Amino acid sequence: MMNIGEEKADNVVVISIEGRVDGLTAPDLENRISEIVDRGDVRVLLDCEGMTYVSSAGLRIFLTGARKCQLNEGKLMICALQPDCKSVIETSGFHTVIDCHDTREAALAAAS
Amino acid sequence: MLTFVDEILLLMLDDEKGSFLPIRESTMGYVLAGAVLMDLAFANRIDTDPSQLMVLDKTPIGQPLHDRILETIAASNETRDTKAWIETISREATEIREQSLAGLVENGILESQEEKFLWVFRARRYPMIDGRAEREVKLRITGVLLSDETPDPKDVAIICLADACNILREVFSEREIHRIRPRIDQIRKLDLIGREVSGAIQEIEQAIMAAMTHAHH
């Protein structure tokens, strides 16, 4: 189960993720990121404070989203990872290809 | 559309001779098993995390051997991780390879030739007759490794497989590989199945090295 929230902060679209991002829920997240980028909002922040689990399928969507933003001259960032998810992100080296911040405030400050 | 199994096999073949590059059998087995799992993962049939491999959807993908393997995984009662499945599936490497080669011949990418050597032994070679597919794979690999761009997950997967069986030297010179090694290492960590394939191959290589060292003493 995953819930997605969306709000705009300055020129960044913040997607709040709650629950599990896995093979069953990742397509919804992928579609949402695509819709946002396709309408011209190419600076996207994934707020993962409520994300409890991320699988390989979820990580692939993070990468696909980051690539889509980059190809449109934007950027995708991640913030507020819980320890378990942070460990998965760091073990797989995703933090070396996607900017990760400890808090939403830090991410928005970096984006401005 | 080519599968990861097809793409990695094309890279494993010497284009002119049509024979396989010198790759240890166990390595080829793990790489082909990883490629099958990647095909199933990208078709949203399975998902993985560091501790388990899960079936999301048992619907066949239309590749007989992949579908049989998917059925086997789905029928399993025990929770197993990706590495355990790679080891199990690698036992079917010959069949995986033959099925993919037959498809590549049927699609006019390779041709199949049988040759005799030493008057008795027969060997099958697969010279390339349409190099476009392989060129496209190589272009994707160079595009990712020679830039800082965020990679497409599919390109990450094929780079993991190619590096695991040490065939990036078919795309780059030794000097270039040395120069881009940090980028290769960055990319190959991004795919969990690819990481497990590399890990399994490293374990075997270490065991062989240890056995050789032991034999010397």
Side-chain angles (χ1 to χ4, degrees):
Chain A
M1 190 63 190
M2 176 191 71
N3 289 313
I4 305 174
E6 184 183 325
E7 61 189 284
K8 201 151 185 187
D10 300 325
N11 58 350
V12 178
V13 173
V14 181
I15 300 177
S16 321
I17 302 169
E18 273 185 30
R20 295 167 63 88
V21 184
D22 57 23
L24 298 174
T25 60
D28 290 342
L29 179 61
E30 181 177 27
N31 290 339
R32 182 66 73 94
I33 296 171
S34 265
E35 280 168 27
I36 291 167
V37 176
D38 288 345
R39 72 175 185 235
D41 287 317
V42 293
R43 289 148 73 89
V44 177
L45 173 63
L46 302 181
D47 186 333
C48 300
E49 193 176 2
M51 183 174 78
T52 54
Y53 172 85
V54 62
S55 71
S56 295
L59 292 176
R60 274 202 301 277
I61 298 312
F62 287 180
L63 203 57
T64 306
R67 181 170 167 79
K68 189 165 170 91
C69 288
Q70 190 182 54
L71 290 175
N72 286 278
E73 293 173 8
K75 192 172 193 176
L76 180 135
M77 297 177 294
I78 294 174
C79 72
L81 287 160
Q82 296 299 325
D84 284 353
C85 295
K86 190 174 185 184
S87 162
V88 171
I89 294 272
E90 288 181 351
T91 307
S92 51
F94 272 71
H95 62 299
T96 68
V97 289
I98 300 176
D99 281 354
C100 296
H101 298 272
D102 288 340
T103 62
R104 182 190 286 215
E105 292 70 31
L108 291 174
S112 62
Chain B
M1 196 168 136
L2 297 186
T3 62
F4 285 118
V5 175
D6 297 332
E7 289 187 345
I8 198 65
L9 276 174
L10 286 178
L11 293 177
M12 285 175 172
L13 279 170
D14 181 314
D15 300 349
E16 283 169 25
K17 292 182 192 156
S19 53
F20 281 99
L21 298 166
I23 297 168
R24 190 176 282 143
E25 210 175 311
S26 56
T27 299
M28 190 182 280
Y30 286 152
V31 167
L32 292 179
V36 169
L37 291 179
M38 285 171 176
D39 283 321
L40 293 174
F42 278 78
N44 291 323
R45 298 303 192 268
I46 60 165
D47 195 7
T48 56
D49 67 25
S51 60
Q52 59 181 327
L53 186 152
M54 303 140 278
V55 172
L56 301 173
D57 180 356
K58 290 190 276 186
T59 312
I61 63 166
Q63 299 279 342
L65 201 62
H66 287 70
D67 292 335
R68 186 161 61 69
I69 289 167
L70 177 61
E71 223 172 86
T72 307
I73 299 172
S76 171
N77 291 325
E78 50 173 336
T79 305
R80 302 173 72 197
D81 63 12
T82 305
K83 189 181 160 202
W85 280 115
I86 287 170
E87 283 168 357
T88 302
I89 299 166
S90 69
R91 291 177 210 132
E92 301 192 47
T94 307
E95 214 179 329
I96 296 168
R97 190 178 68 189
E98 295 308 314
Q99 185 182 286
S100 169
L101 288 170
L104 291 167
V105 169
E106 202 179 299
N107 289 323
I109 294 169
L110 301 176
E111 69 175 326
S112 173
Q113 292 178 354
E114 196 170 82
E115 65 172 12
K116 271 188 186 175
F117 60 101
L118 296 178
W119 299 282
V120 191
F121 300 106
R122 287 170 190 275
R124 195 161 281 283
R125 300 187 312 126
Y126 294 91
M128 197 161 295
I129 50 176
D130 181 352
R132 281 176 298 180
E134 191 200 34
R135 272 199 301 278
E136 193 260 333
V137 177
K138 286 182 173 175
L139 269 177
R140 279 164 42 207
I141 291 175
T142 50
V144 171
L145 293 181
L146 297 180
S147 76
D148 291 329
E149 267 183 24
T150 307
D152 183 286
K154 285 191 171 173
D155 300 339
V156 169
I158 195 72
I159 289 168
C160 285
L161 295 174
D163 187 54
C165 56
N166 200 21
I167 52 171
L168 285 173
R169 65 180 192 277
E170 294 304 305
V171 184
F172 300 101
S173 67
E174 285 297 333
R175 204 167 141 191
E176 276 177 315
I177 287 183
H178 182 72
R179 187 173 61 80
I180 61 173
R181 178 47 65 185
R183 176 70 169 164
I184 298 171
D185 289 341
Q186 179 192 40
I187 297 297
R188 73 191 181 119
K189 279 175 76 181
L190 297 173
D191 187 283
L192 187 138
I193 297 171
R195 275 209 316 273
E196 296 296 339
V197 169
S198 298
I201 291 168
Q202 270 172 16
E203 275 177 27
I204 288 214
E205 280 171 358
Q206 279 164 4
I208 291 171
M209 285 298 286
M212 284 167 66
T213 312
H214 185 72
H216 265 289
H217 288 291

